[in-house]
């Protein structure tokens, strides 16, 4: 397998606080790569530096061999990198179906062509299939803002897959989700993974969730990588135990 | 050279008045995210009240000013906050701004309906003489305006930095959530900022109306320029409003004399556009992080 | 599998359109010249407000400079007609100019939002007004320009009723085009821009281009309205293109209901026609109107078209409160 995403020496400080202090890792094509760490360990800041929401102070990011350091979110999306945000980010006034169509319509034809295209840009079929897969078919016509938290969360994740992204970043997909359905969420992600063939990078707090889902896990603490390996290796690492339990 | 100095000083006087109105604007924005489109009318109304006191009740200007200041503080400070801001703040920035547009219409046209659309003279609070120093002619009124504004700014600064209430007000303006945690009575202090804003506007009315004469649309361009001044200086800083106001006043006056009098009103706008394109946080402002 | 069916909402909208069209076509039978003129003015104000509703209501970009685009359309036509160019060539020129200037005005919107944008657009309007007033060699300044009514296929549109029909046709065509645009992928992209621009960008939606387009298309609508306004009034001077008219255009959108297709129709009717019916209130009319705006923002910031939903929601809330109270009462032994 080859590295789809390579991150080298990535760093970002806020004033005197080094939120991310030189992180290296590579994500193999086709794997599910987990990122865990205590609150404030720099996981989300690292995501935002890779995904163009923040400018890194130092370091390089390569995607499929091409340099993407500091690229804008739009450019990354066009390259086939999807993402979700830590907080819910759906288009509240659009229906659930329209949320999914919106997530893929810009990949169909040209900007000018879309003015004259069919209202659904030919995406209704794909949207319906994904809605069914997400168990959201019964609320397809409801405004996304009126759905339950769990439904919005699923929709939010679905949107990251709608355009056929090769690499999908998920920022805490299980956060705030009813503990009883966290297992369902993991199963859903595995199914989406199997169907889309996309590579995942997942930030998560919920240990069981990460350990059950990911092929490899990176552990961060205080802006640095302290461990990287299979879930079993990481779980046994004394440094990880210290970061989580000591302190 | 002497002429430039003259023009600059009278520009500073105009700018000082813009600055006073702009500082109030900044206060309201900081505490409640209110974009007060009626800010100019907050200057016009006390001017109208003072004129009413002088013409109808035959009061001396000083008494009329104190009366107008108190009514303004109650009506445009406390009542404005309670009746308009409080119930609407949960709807967000736009409905609140639109409501202040509605208020502008009501105030402006109410005064027009009562007092007509003509311009009325207004007494000067300070003597108007021409002083000559080393061949430079000054208007004593301009100097008095600059001195008055300086005194108000100094007093306000002492209040904000030197008293417990003032420091709490600043804490509220900078971070309302943290202020709550610190046990500050945020609601009461926000009310104070509204009262201070109304008082600043009333003071501006006393200084500006003799120059432009009283008319129902007195506040129209004043409110707009105060906003531009606030942005140019830096919207999240009182100091910014002060500097922005002075810059706008001086450049406006210089361009009226040396460049294009017909486009004098476009100076503030031009500066504003340059600032938002190249330094959106304002000349003295701090950068606010882009929220993700 | 799901064929487009005529839902109740669609039937209601269709019936409303038919009734409105019939009413508007029959109206001149009951009106004097001035009434027909006012309705023509309403139609053109609605066209400008539809444009602003696209920019503000659907794409979420605050613009307080809509009257400036009205002015750009009107003066382009007036100046070209004065130079001997046909109205029908001046019209596209004015609309294109408004579109181009709107595109340029969109650039500040890429840098700043909310209050900055509100005042940037307001300031832009002030600048256009100053240019119109000061550049007498081009615009006639405060003396204005006389504008004749155009001809259409050799038929003069001098009669008020003929021109009224033209204004209605302009409204119908604009409304139809904007409706088609709103249900195209562009309309969905505009809604994404309004709801959550950061998320939109992460989904490949080119927020930059769509923001500029939202401004430019909104401005072009005002350009159309302005181009037809000049011959309607027969004379243009700077006064209808200043800050106050811009505020009124904004209020048309807000009062009707931003982001609602028929909002501008209702809002323009209230702002254009109501003052004429309330002549008795005279100078106090605007005071009452101002208080009405404040009250509307306090009770129903979604505009008048949102009132039925608001009332229904309040009723439902009261019913459920009463229901639970009754339930508790019934549960008592």
């Amino acid at each position: 397998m080859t590295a789809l995403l390579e991150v080298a020496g990535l760093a970002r400080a806020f004033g005197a606080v080094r939120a991310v202090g030189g992180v290296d890792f590579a994500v193999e094509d086709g794997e599910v790569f987990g990122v865990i760490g205590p609150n404030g360990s720099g996981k989300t800041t690292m995501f935002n530096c890779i995904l163009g929401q923040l400018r890194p102070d130092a370091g390089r990011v390569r995607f499929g061999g091409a340099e993407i350091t500091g690229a804008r979110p739009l450019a990354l999306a066009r390259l086939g990198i999807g993402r979700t945000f830590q907080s819910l980010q759906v288009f509240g006034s659009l229906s659930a179906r329209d949320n999914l169509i919106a997530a893929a319509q810009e990949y169909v034809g040209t900007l000018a062509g879309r003015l004259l295209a069919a209202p659904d840009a030919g995406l209704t079929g794909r949207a319906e299939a994904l809605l069914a897969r997400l168990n959201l078919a019964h609320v397809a016509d409801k405004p996304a803002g009126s759905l339950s938290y769990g439904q919005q969360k699923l929709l939010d994740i679905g949107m990251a897959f709608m355009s056929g992204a090769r690499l999908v970043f998920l920022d805490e997909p299980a956060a705030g989700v009813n503990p009883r359905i966290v297992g369902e969420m993991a199963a859903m992600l595995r199914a989406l993974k199997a169907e889309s063939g996309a590579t995942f990078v997942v930030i998560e707090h919920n240990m069981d969730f990460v350990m059950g889902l990911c092929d490899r896990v990176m552990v961060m603490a205080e802006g640095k990588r302290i461990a990287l390996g299979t879930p079993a290796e990481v779980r046994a690492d004394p440094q990880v135990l210290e970061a989580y339990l000591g302190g | 050279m002497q002429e430039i100095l003259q023009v600059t000083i009278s520009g500073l006087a105009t700018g000082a008045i813009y600055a006073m109105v702009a500082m109030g604007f900044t206060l309201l924005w900081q505490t409640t995210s209110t974009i007060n489109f009626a800010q100019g009318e907050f200057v016009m109304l006390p001017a109208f009240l003072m004129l009413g006191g002088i013409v109808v009740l035959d009061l001396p200007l000083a008494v009329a000013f104190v009366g107008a200041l108190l009514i303004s503080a109650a009506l445009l400070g406390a009542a404005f906050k309670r009746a308009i801001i409080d119930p609407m703040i949960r709807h967000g920035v736009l409905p609140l701004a639109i409501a202040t547009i509605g208020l502008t219409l009501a105030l402006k046209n109410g005064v027009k309906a009562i007092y007509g659309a003509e311009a009325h003279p207004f007494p000067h609070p300070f003597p108007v003489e021409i002083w000559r120093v080393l061949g430079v002619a000054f208007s004593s009124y301009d100097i008095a305006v600059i001195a008055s504004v300086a005194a108000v700014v100094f007093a306000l600064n002492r209040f904000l930095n030197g008293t417990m209430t003032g420091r709490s007000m600043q804490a509220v303006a900078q971070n309302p959530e943290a202020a709550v945690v610190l046990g500050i009575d945020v609601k009461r202090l926000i009310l104070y900022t509204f009262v201070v804003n109304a008082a600043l506007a009333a003071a501006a009315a006393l200084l500006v109306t003799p120059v432009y004469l009283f008319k129902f649309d007195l506040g129209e361009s004043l409110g707009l320029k105060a906003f531009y001044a606030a942005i140019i200086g830096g919207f999240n800083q009182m100091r910014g409003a002060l500097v922005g106001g002075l810059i706008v006043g001086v450049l406006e006056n210089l361009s009226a004399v040396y460049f294009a009098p017909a486009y004098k009103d476009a100076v503030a706008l031009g500066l504003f556009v340059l600032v938002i394109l190249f330094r959106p946080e304002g000349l003295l402002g701090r950068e606010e992080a882009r929220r993700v | 599998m799901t064929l487009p069916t005529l839902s109740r909402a669609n039937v209601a909208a269709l019936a409303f359109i038919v009734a409105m069209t019939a009413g508007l076509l029959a109206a001149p039978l009951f009106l004097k010249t001035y009434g027909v003129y006012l309705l023509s003015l309403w139609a053109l104000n609605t066209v400008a407000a539809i444009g602003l509703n696209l920019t503000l209501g659907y794409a979420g970009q605050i613009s307080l400079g809509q009257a400036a685009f009205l002015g750009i359309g009107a003066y382009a036509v007036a100046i070209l007609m004065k130079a001997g160019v046909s109205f029908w060539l001046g019209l596209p020129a004015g609309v294109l100019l408004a579109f181009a200037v709107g595109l340029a005005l969109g650039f500040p919107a890429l840098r700043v939002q909310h209050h900055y944008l509100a005042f940037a657009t307001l300031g832009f309007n002030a600048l256009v007004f100053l240019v119109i007033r000061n550049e007498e060699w081009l615009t006639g300044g405060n003396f204005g320009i006389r504008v004749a009514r155009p001809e259409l296929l050799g038929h003069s549109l001098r009669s008020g009723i003929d021109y009224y029909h033209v204004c209605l046709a302009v409204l119908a065509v604009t409304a139809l085009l904007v409706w088609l645009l709103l249900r195209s992928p562009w309309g969905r992209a505009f809604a994404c821009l309004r709801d959550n621009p950061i998320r939109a960008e992460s989904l490949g939606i080119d927020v930059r281009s769509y923001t500029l387009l939202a401004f430019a298309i909104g401005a072009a609508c005002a350009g159309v309205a302005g181009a037809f306004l000049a011959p309607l009034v027969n004379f243009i001077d700077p006064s209808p293109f200043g800050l106050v008219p811009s505020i009124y255009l904004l209020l048309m959108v807000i009062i009707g209901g931003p982001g609602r297709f028929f909002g501008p129709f209702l809002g323009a009717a209230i702002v254009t026609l109501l003052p004429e019916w309330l002549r008795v209130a005279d100078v106090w009319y605007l005071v009452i109107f101002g208080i009405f705006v404040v009250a509307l923002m306090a009770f129903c910031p979604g505009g008048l078209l949102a009132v039925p939903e608001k009332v229904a929601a309040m009723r439902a809330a009261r019913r459920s409160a009463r229901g639970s109270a009754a339930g508790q009462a019934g549960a008592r032994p």
Side-chain angles (χ1 to χ4, degrees):
Chain A
M1 283 204 281
T2 55
L4 184 62
L5 180 79
E6 293 164 85
V7 175
L10 197 71
R12 168 76 199 212
F14 296 107
V17 181
R18 285 175 60 116
V20 179
V23 173
D24 306 275
F25 66 93
V27 178
E28 306 291 325
D29 200 353
E31 75 173 330
V32 178
F33 188 87
V35 180
I36 61 172
N39 269 330
S41 57
K43 305 182 299 289
T44 292
T45 303
M46 183 185 74
F47 255 39
N48 284 333
C49 285
I50 296 171
L51 292 167
Q53 299 294 346
L54 282 173
R55 245 183 188 292
D57 298 331
R60 299 168 79 86
V61 184
R62 294 161 78 84
F63 173 64
E67 174 99 29
I68 56 162
T69 318
R72 299 285 305 160
L74 181 69
L76 298 174
R78 295 275 164 90
L79 284 174
I81 300 177
R83 74 166 298 184
T84 66
F85 291 80
Q86 197 167 22
S87 55
L88 266 183
Q89 307 276 349
V90 296
F91 303 113
S93 69
L94 294 181
S95 71
R97 184 189 295 109
D98 274 324
N99 267 275
L100 291 183
I101 295 174
Q105 69 172 30
E106 301 298 314
Y107 298 84
V108 180
T110 60
L111 179 66
R114 283 191 293 277
L115 177 60
L116 304 172
D120 70 344
L123 291 165
T124 299
R126 207 194 310 170
E128 298 288 351
L130 189 52
L131 282 167
R133 154 60 64 213
L134 297 167
N135 296 331
L136 293 175
H138 60 296
V139 292
D141 291 311
K142 287 199 177 166
S146 72
L147 302 183
S148 74
Y149 182 86
Q151 288 171 331
Q152 291 193 39
K153 195 95 198 178
L154 285 171
L155 184 62
D156 196 1
I157 291 169
M159 285 158 75
F161 287 94
M162 187 63 193
S163 66
R166 277 177 71 197
L167 176 62
V168 177
F169 286 78
L170 300 168
D171 197 345
E172 302 201 13
V177 172
N178 188 331
R180 278 179 310 169
I181 62 166
V182 165
E184 277 176 48
M185 180 69 89
M188 183 76 74
L189 286 175
R190 270 191 290 271
L192 284 171
K193 162 102 190 78
E195 279 162 31
S196 67
T199 305
F200 284 13
V201 182
V202 186
I203 289 184
E204 199 31 82
H205 273 302
N206 188 323
M207 272 293 206
D208 296 335
F209 184 85
V210 172
M211 297 305 178
L213 184 68
C214 300
D215 300 314
R216 287 195 306 151
V217 176
M218 175 169 87
V219 187
M220 285 180 74
E222 288 166 5
K224 295 234 189 292
R225 174 183 125 183
I226 58 168
L228 178 64
T230 64
E233 286 165 7
V234 163
R235 213 196 287 265
D237 192 312
Q239 257 192 298
V240 176
L241 290 172
E242 194 191 338
Y244 266 87
L245 304 172
Chain B
M1 187 58 221
Q2 279 118 338
E3 200 190 39
I4 290 189
L5 207 59
Q6 273 162 240
V7 173
T8 306
I9 287 185
S10 69
L12 277 177
T14 318
I17 293 169
Y18 292 159
M20 211 148 63
V21 184
M23 283 191 295
F25 215 123
T26 314
L27 270 179
L28 295 200
W29 169 256
Q30 286 180 334
T31 50
T32 55
S33 302
T34 302
I35 307 165
N36 186 18
F37 276 92
Q39 189 75 353
E41 279 60 42
F42 278 32
V43 176
M44 183 275 292
L45 194 71
F48 172 71
L49 292 173
M50 279 186 262
L51 206 54
I54 294 164
V55 174
V56 180
L57 305 175
D58 216 10
L59 297 173
L61 178 61
V63 177
F65 172 63
V66 173
L69 187 72
L70 293 176
I71 297 176
S72 253
L75 215 60
L76 301 179
F80 171 61
K81 177 182 178 284
R82 291 258 158 80
I84 296 186
I85 305 300
D86 286 348
M88 260 172 263
I89 200 155
R90 67 201 157 86
H91 295 327
V93 175
L94 184 63
L96 198 54
I98 304 282
T100 65
I101 289 179
L103 186 66
T104 304
L105 282 175
L107 287 176
K108 210 159 65 177
N109 291 288
V111 168
K112 187 180 170 191
I114 295 170
Y115 209 51
E118 307 83 41
H120 302 267
F122 192 95
H124 285 78
F126 306 109
V128 185
E129 289 161 23
I130 301 298
W131 294 343
R132 282 188 182 279
V133 181
L134 302 169
V136 183
F138 299 110
S139 155
S140 63
Y141 190 73
D142 285 346
I143 304 293
V145 166
I146 296 170
S148 313
V149 174
V152 169
V153 169
F154 181 72
L156 189 63
N157 197 40
R158 281 298 294 270
F159 170 65
L160 288 177
N161 293 318
T163 66
M164 197 57 210
T165 312
R167 263 179 273 155
S168 308
M169 272 170 77
Q170 291 202 49
V172 171
Q174 273 153 22
N175 193 338
E177 287 98 30
V180 174
V181 176
L182 292 173
I184 294 172
D185 184 353
V186 172
K187 279 198 177 140
R188 195 166 51 92
L189 289 162
I190 289 180
L191 182 65
Y192 288 170
T193 63
F194 278 75
V195 172
V196 168
N197 174 49
L200 283 172
L206 178 70
L207 299 175
V208 76
T209 321
V211 183
Y212 292 134
L213 306 182
F214 177 79
K215 210 178 156 202
F216 74 99
D217 63 358
L218 173 74
E220 217 168 86
S221 71
L222 199 58
L224 205 56
K225 282 179 190 159
F227 180 86
Y228 291 142
I231 297 275
I232 290 165
F235 213 28
N236 45 23
Q237 294 229 335
M238 292 273 280
R239 238 166 5 121
L242 183 61
V243 172
L246 294 176
I247 291 176
V248 169
V250 170
L251 288 184
E252 224 176 61
N253 238 28
L254 288 172
S255 88
V257 175
Y258 297 105
F259 176 56
Y263 286 100
K264 169 179 167 253
D265 288 339
V267 170
L269 170 67
L271 271 178
F272 165 78
V273 169
L274 289 179
V275 164
I276 60 169
L277 287 180
F278 298 108
R279 203 180 151 79
E281 69 274 20
L283 297 177
L284 299 184
R286 292 173 304 253
E287 201 168 346
E288 283 174 40
R290 187 180 177 194
R291 286 200 187 134
V292 178
Chain C
M1 199 174 81
T2 47
L3 286 168
T5 49
L6 283 177
S7 70
R8 263 175 65 186
N10 283 346
V11 172
L14 212 61
F16 173 72
I17 292 169
V18 170
M20 187 173 70
T21 311
L24 286 170
L25 288 174
L29 299 173
F30 310 99
L31 292 170
K32 299 195 184 110
T33 316
Y34 185 64
V36 173
Y37 166 80
L38 273 181
L39 276 185
S40 310
L41 197 60
W42 165 80
L44 297 181
N45 275 337
T46 305
V47 169
I50 285 174
L52 184 57
N53 194 27
L54 183 84
T55 314
L56 174 83
Y58 287 98
Q61 308 295 313
I62 300 176
S63 169
L64 294 184
Q66 193 72 345
F69 297 112
L70 208 65
I72 288 171
Y75 272 93
V77 161
I79 291 165
L80 286 173
M81 284 175 82
K82 206 171 96 182
V85 179
S86 149
F87 171 83
W88 302 106
L89 286 176
L91 172 66
V95 176
L96 270 178
L97 187 63
F99 183 90
V101 177
L103 208 58
L105 187 65
F107 278 97
L110 301 174
R111 305 271 327 210
V112 295
Q113 285 284 312
H114 301 311
H115 50 293
Y116 290 92
L117 190 55
F119 278 88
T121 51
L122 199 64
F124 157 77
N125 201 139
L127 187 66
V128 169
F129 181 79
L130 282 175
V131 170
I132 293 176
R133 199 192 61 195
N134 293 336
E135 303 304 319
E136 277 185 22
W137 58 276
L138 184 67
T139 64
N142 283 326
F143 302 109
I145 306 177
R146 301 198 63 80
V147 186
R149 290 264 168 90
E151 288 188 348
L152 181 59
L153 306 172
H155 177 72
S156 164
L157 298 172
R158 213 167 299 152
S159 115
I161 293 188
D162 285 351
Y163 202 71
Y164 168 62
H165 288 143
V166 170
C167 293
L168 283 186
V170 170
L171 172 58
V173 170
T174 312
L176 179 68
L177 289 176
V178 168
W179 183 74
L180 287 172
L181 183 143
L182 286 173
R183 62 192 286 279
S184 80
W186 281 28
R188 193 179 295 107
F190 285 149
C192 294
L193 192 64
R194 173 192 63 194
D195 283 3
N196 194 335
I198 290 177
R199 180 59 163 151
E201 206 170 3
S202 80
L203 295 169
I205 296 174
D206 186 349
V207 168
R208 240 179 115 81
S209 301
Y210 281 114
T211 304
L212 296 177
L213 283 167
F215 269 96
I217 297 169
C221 289
V224 171
F228 282 94
L229 183 71
L232 172 69
V233 189
N234 285 137
F235 169 80
I236 53 165
D237 70 351
S239 59
F241 311 118
L243 299 185
V244 175
S246 259
I247 298 283
Y248 281 124
L249 281 165
L250 173 75
L251 289 178
M252 288 177 202
V253 174
I254 299 285
I255 289 173
R260 283 166 195 274
F261 191 75
F262 289 107
F265 293 75
L266 178 62
I270 287 175
V271 176
T272 316
L273 306 178
L274 218 52
E276 302 296 330
W277 291 332
L278 296 177
R279 281 264 166 125
V280 275
D282 197 36
V283 283
W284 291 98
Y285 167 72
L286 283 172
V287 181
I288 298 165
F289 180 64
I291 294 169
F292 161 72
V293 170
V294 175
L296 184 67
M297 287 304 105
F299 297 113
C300 196
L304 285 176
L305 288 181
V307 167
E309 287 163 29
K310 176 106 182 167
V311 170
M314 275 166 63
R315 261 202 208 137
R318 206 175 307 149
R319 203 177 307 131
S320 75
R322 205 184 299 142
S324 66
Q328 280 168 8
R332 246 177 246 146

